[in-house]
Amino acid sequence: MSRDLRVAIVGAGPAGIYAGNILSSTGLDVAIDLFESLPAPYGLIRYGVAPDHPRIKGIVNSLHEMLDRGTVRFIGNVEFGRDLTLADLRRRYDAVIIATGAIRDAELSIPGIELTGSYGAADFVSWYDGHPDVPRTWPLEAREIAVLGNGNVALDVARVLAKLPHDMLRTDIPENVAAGLAASPVTDVHVFGRRGPAQVKFTPIELRELGEVDGVETIVSAEDFEDAAAIDAAVAASGSNQVKVMVRTMRGWLDRPRTDARRRIHLHFLHNPAAILGTDGAVTGIRFERTRLTDDGTVRGTGELREYAVQAVYRAVGYFGSPLPGLPFDDRLGVIRNLEGRVVDEAGQRIPGVYATGWIKRGPVGLIGHTKSDAMETIEHLVSDTEGLVRASERSDDAIFALLESRGVQYTTWDGWLALDAHERALGAADTSDVERERIKVVDRDAQIAIATGVLSQSSP
Ligand SMILES: Cc1cc2nc3c(=O)[nH]c(=O)nc-3n(C[C@H](O)[C@H](O)[C@H](O)COP(=O)(O)OP(=O)(O)OC[C@H]3O[C@@H](n4cnc5c(N)ncnc54)[C@H](O)[C@@H]3O)c2cc1C
């Protein structure tokens, strides 16, 4: 059946799914296809959110309902730029929405960053969340680890590194990750922020959680809280109740008696990373310059250098978007160039019929909920542009499958995801360890495809 409007969305993370759902509720007679490079949907909710955050992972339940209605067709294992071009989509769809998010680490240019034992948080996150495109093993050999960054991803990384293995087993982590974490000899994880305790980018829940990890002691250092007047001024200047709560939480930790916990997470502030130190190409330590708070709310170097003996360094200094063939990219911000979701070229001229939403639209900041308001803005613009859109020439619902098949692309469908989802849940139910596991993820891409396309039945191992 030919619809009035045909729209392709690229990227089945929350942004793409919300965009499809909002568009399907506008009352327009619209066909929506949602393309995803992985065999499974949900983007960073499946491959970014920490496995020990089941409540957040639970957001997939409402996204599942949106896709299960059938008004948005999921087409997985199709990579834009490799399997399909913008021209391919424009021939078959009246509008294209790019929602490809961000998966790689922002860069940090300090000496020693290339040493063995210096890692990007995004790579580690992809490993522990079972992303199919990263190596299956991760070198967890360090006893002392530095994590650079003061956002929630730094806290996720520190917590996953420090948690006792049995605590992680309750989650959906794949077997190789459970085995890797269980063998880790880590004792101390140090999280470093360049600025002060009132300038953290954590959220209060994630921070408080750090103080409640079983068998792990969280330690803050009195010297970082000495300049109480400057910290209070920064809290007041932030105007944020969340900041006030977090500073209060951390000050509370200053007075707690030390315990004999097997593992520790240390939160350090006012430490600007200067160099990662190494011997024979491997990390042996990290050097910082101490900073102090200034009246304008920033920090200034003090000239005092500090070194910590660590055998691994994880930089959690932000994610960064990747360019896509045929689309204008802003190298500075790591986003597709756009004005409120309408894609524009280098000169700021609109590229009609092409839109962006989510992290690739506004940069890798903000929570899952923000991608919903983001999608609303983009869809509002698309709807108001509808009359003027140049109509695609090939309007059949099957045209895209004929193209993919002609190129030998082994795409997966919504039914395929349902099969894979059931398979992972069955693996969780069959697990014989003494904890209840809702699912165990299948990592290998070929295995995911085999299950999703019915080559490997649900009862197969
Ligand atoms: C480590 C980490 C932890 C987080 N924890 C939380 C949390 O606890 N709570 C919270 O609210 N938010 C959390 N967030 C933020 C949340 O994940 C993001 O706000 C949200 O996922 C952004 O959605 P998105 O759809 O724009 O991007 P993504 O979720 O990245 O989805 C983009 C999708 O596009 C696909 N794609 C990319 N390139 C292509 C291509 N060429 N062709 C086809 N498909 C492509 C990707 O595979 C992916 O599925 C976390 C983020 C990170 C990085």
Side-chain angles (χ1 to χ4, degrees):
M1 187 180 67
S2 179
R3 300 286 184 82
D4 291 348
L5 188 65
R6 301 186 55 74
V7 176
I9 303 174
V10 182
I17 299 175
Y18 282 128
N21 187 54
I22 294 165
L23 181 59
S24 71
S25 331
T26 52
L28 290 171
D29 179 29
V30 55
I32 307 166
D33 283 347
L34 175 63
F35 296 93
E36 167 57 49
S37 59
L38 299 171
Y42 308 133
L44 281 171
I45 304 187
R46 185 171 158 96
Y47 292 119
V49 170
D52 59 342
H53 279 174
R55 195 180 55 80
I56 307 293
K57 294 258 186 210
I59 296 175
V60 298
N61 294 336
S62 68
L63 300 180
H64 176 103
E65 277 172 29
M66 291 173 197
L67 294 182
D68 206 38
R69 280 179 212 136
T71 46
V72 177
R73 271 195 319 194
F74 172 75
I75 307 174
N77 202 36
V78 176
E79 185 175 320
F80 177 89
R82 184 193 62 192
D83 304 320
L84 286 176
T85 64
L86 185 60
D88 293 329
L89 292 179
R90 311 237 25 202
R91 205 167 301 131
R92 291 163 185 85
Y93 301 90
D94 309 321
V96 176
I97 304 173
I98 305 295
T100 48
I103 186 101
R104 63 188 170 122
D105 287 287
E107 283 179 13
L108 178 68
S109 295
I110 55 170
I113 198 77
E114 74 296 340
L115 289 167
T116 302
S118 157
Y119 309 110
D123 293 335
F124 180 56
V125 168
S126 290
W127 174 74
Y128 69 58
D129 257 339
H131 194 290
D133 296 343
V134 302
R136 299 288 290 278
T137 53
W138 189 269
L140 286 167
E141 288 137 16
R143 299 182 73 81
E144 292 145 313
I145 299 175
V147 177
L148 308 180
N150 261 181
N152 280 342
V153 176
L155 293 190
D156 283 349
V157 166
R159 202 180 60 250
V160 170
L161 284 167
K163 260 194 172 178
L164 297 178
H166 73 264
D167 227 5
M168 289 302 290
L169 245 200
R170 294 171 218 282
T171 69
D172 64 3
I173 50 170
E175 300 301 359
N176 64 304
V177 176
L181 291 173
S184 168
V186 68
T187 57
D188 292 85
V189 180
H190 298 265
V191 181
F192 293 97
R194 217 168 43 83
R195 305 204 289 166
Q199 279 107 0
V200 294
K201 300 273 186 253
F202 311 141
T203 47
I205 294 179
E206 290 242 3
L207 180 67
R208 223 176 304 127
E209 181 187 2
L210 214 60
E212 294 159 5
V213 180
D214 193 25
V216 179
E217 184 177 2
T218 296
I219 299 165
V220 284
S221 170
E223 65 173 352
D224 293 340
F225 289 80
E226 267 166 10
D227 197 350
I231 294 171
D232 290 339
V235 171
S238 76
S240 158
N241 196 43
Q242 292 207 346
V243 171
K244 193 168 154 188
V245 167
M246 288 191 288
V247 169
R248 195 168 55 215
T249 299
M250 290 186 280
R251 279 181 167 149
W253 290 342
L254 283 171
D255 301 328
R256 286 197 307 192
R258 293 290 303 270
T259 69
D260 57 358
R262 279 159 57 193
R263 291 179 171 179
R264 290 160 292 276
I265 296 175
H266 309 257
L267 294 182
H268 304 270
F269 302 99
L270 306 168
H271 279 71
N272 190 22
I276 300 174
L277 313 172
T279 308
D280 298 332
V283 172
T284 53
I286 182 160
R287 179 182 301 137
F288 295 88
E289 181 183 5
R290 289 283 280 161
T291 60
R292 65 175 173 78
L293 294 166
T294 57
D295 292 342
D296 60 4
T298 57
V299 286
R300 186 167 306 143
T302 62
E304 181 198 342
L305 298 178
R306 287 270 175 93
E307 287 182 10
Y308 294 80
V310 293
Q311 301 81 48
V313 176
Y314 290 72
R315 57 186 185 282
V317 294
Y319 275 53
F320 205 75
S322 301
L324 292 161
L327 286 154
F329 190 71
D330 185 326
D331 293 314
R332 200 173 50 84
L333 300 175
V335 298
I336 301 286
R337 289 179 188 274
N338 74 92
L339 288 174
E340 297 181 349
R342 287 175 167 129
V343 173
V344 296
D345 64 17
E346 308 258 316
Q349 296 297 312
R350 280 196 50 201
I351 302 184
V354 186
Y355 300 83
T357 194
W359 273 16
I360 199 65
K361 165 187 173 183
R362 67 181 154 77
V365 281
L367 298 174
I368 296 160
H370 295 120
T371 62
K372 191 171 178 182
S373 39
D374 219 29
M376 269 178 195
E377 182 185 66
T378 296
I379 297 301
E380 263 172 34
H381 286 315
L382 191 157
V383 170
S384 69
D385 296 344
T386 306
E387 290 293 303
L389 291 174
V390 176
R391 300 294 145 158
S393 53
E394 291 186 31
R395 308 197 64 78
S396 125
D397 281 348
D398 294 334
I400 194 67
F401 297 122
L403 177 72
L404 291 171
E405 279 156 23
S406 74
R407 291 182 179 166
V409 179
Q410 206 177 10
Y411 57 85
T412 59
T413 61
W414 182 244
D415 281 346
W417 162 248
L418 294 180
L420 178 55
D421 186 37
H423 184 96
E424 292 186 341
R425 286 176 191 277
L427 289 178
D431 186 62
T432 51
S433 58
D434 55 358
V435 290
E436 216 170 283
R437 303 189 71 183
E438 190 185 320
R439 83 166 62 230
I440 297 177
K441 273 185 189 164
V442 176
V443 182
D444 183 68
R445 186 186 278 261
D446 289 340
Q448 289 190 41
I449 295 167
I451 296 161
T453 55
V455 175
L456 197 63
S457 77
Q458 276 181 40
S459 53
S460 304

